[in-house]
Amino acid sequence: MPWLTTYIMAKKQFFAILDTETTCNDTVADFAIVICDRNGRIYAKCAVLVRGHFDTMDLFYDKTKNNQELWSREYASKKQAEYFAMLDQGRRQLASVAAVNAWIQKAIGKYNPTLTAYNLAFDKQKCQNTDIDLSGFAESFCLWQAAIGNICKK
């Protein structure tokens, strides 16, 4: 009964949880999104390095503070080397922006998820700078702002 599966999926609430790693040019180098339900069950996922950004630009580092560990140029170089190792081992793929957009549209069509991210405004801006289209999501919310609203106002 495929219609029953479609009906149940239509009634269920899904979330598209987004995370990006960025370049020094404010674009997306690493794009990851997971489609899950309220119980955390994962239905679909996409984790790719973005062609034309990851492979042509430096990963983000703080140019004003070379001595801080987390956002240093050295840390970014080490992280990029780890990404290249993942590519070499077949654990990650390099994908075009068009392929990312096609995946997003397919996920929206199948699950109609609510888009969210820890800092949604940041991720949305970087995706926009990269031509990754998030406009098809009917609903969205920022996890950080939701946490502030729920924790700090009690």
Side-chain angles (χ1 to χ4, degrees):
M1 291 188 261
W3 64 269
L4 183 58
T5 301
T6 303
Y7 176 77
I8 291 169
M9 297 268 288
K11 295 293 181 185
K12 194 168 198 151
Q13 186 176 21
F14 295 96
F15 298 92
I17 303 172
L18 170 67
D19 189 29
T20 63
E21 296 297 328
T22 60
T23 69
C24 283
N25 298 62
D26 289 328
T27 63
V28 176
D30 180 12
F31 177 88
I33 193 166
V34 191
I35 308 296
C36 66
D37 63 18
R38 283 187 165 274
N39 296 318
R41 181 172 173 218
I42 296 173
Y43 291 80
K45 57 186 172 181
C46 175
V48 296
L49 301 170
V50 181
R51 184 181 317 250
H53 299 272
F54 167 77
D55 53 339
T56 63
M57 300 175 199
D58 288 335
L59 291 181
F60 176 81
Y61 65 91
D62 188 339
K63 296 175 184 174
T64 63
K65 299 178 183 174
N66 288 329
N67 62 350
Q68 59 180 354
E69 194 170 313
L70 182 59
W71 301 113
S72 70
R73 176 178 225 147
E74 293 75 23
Y75 177 77
S77 295
K78 179 182 174 209
K79 193 171 184 178
Q80 192 154 29
E82 291 170 2
Y83 280 130
F84 278 116
M86 287 181 195
L87 284 171
D88 289 342
Q89 297 163 1
R91 294 186 297 131
R92 277 314 254 288
Q93 293 180 337
L94 198 57
S96 68
V97 170
V100 171
N101 286 335
W103 191 95
I104 291 168
Q105 292 311 309
K106 185 177 176 182
I108 290 171
K110 186 170 184 177
Y111 300 102
N112 189 28
T114 299
L115 178 65
T116 190
Y118 174 71
N119 185 349
L120 187 58
F122 175 88
D123 289 313
K124 282 175 103 172
Q125 182 61 54
K126 302 315 178 205
C127 285
Q128 183 177 350
N129 294 348
T130 313
D131 294 325
I132 295 172
D133 185 7
L134 302 177
S135 66
F137 291 97
E139 296 180 23
S140 65
F141 70 94
C142 177
L143 286 171
W144 181 15
Q145 293 301 317
I148 289 171
N150 287 326
I151 297 167
C152 297
K153 293 184 180 177
K154 286 189 175 191

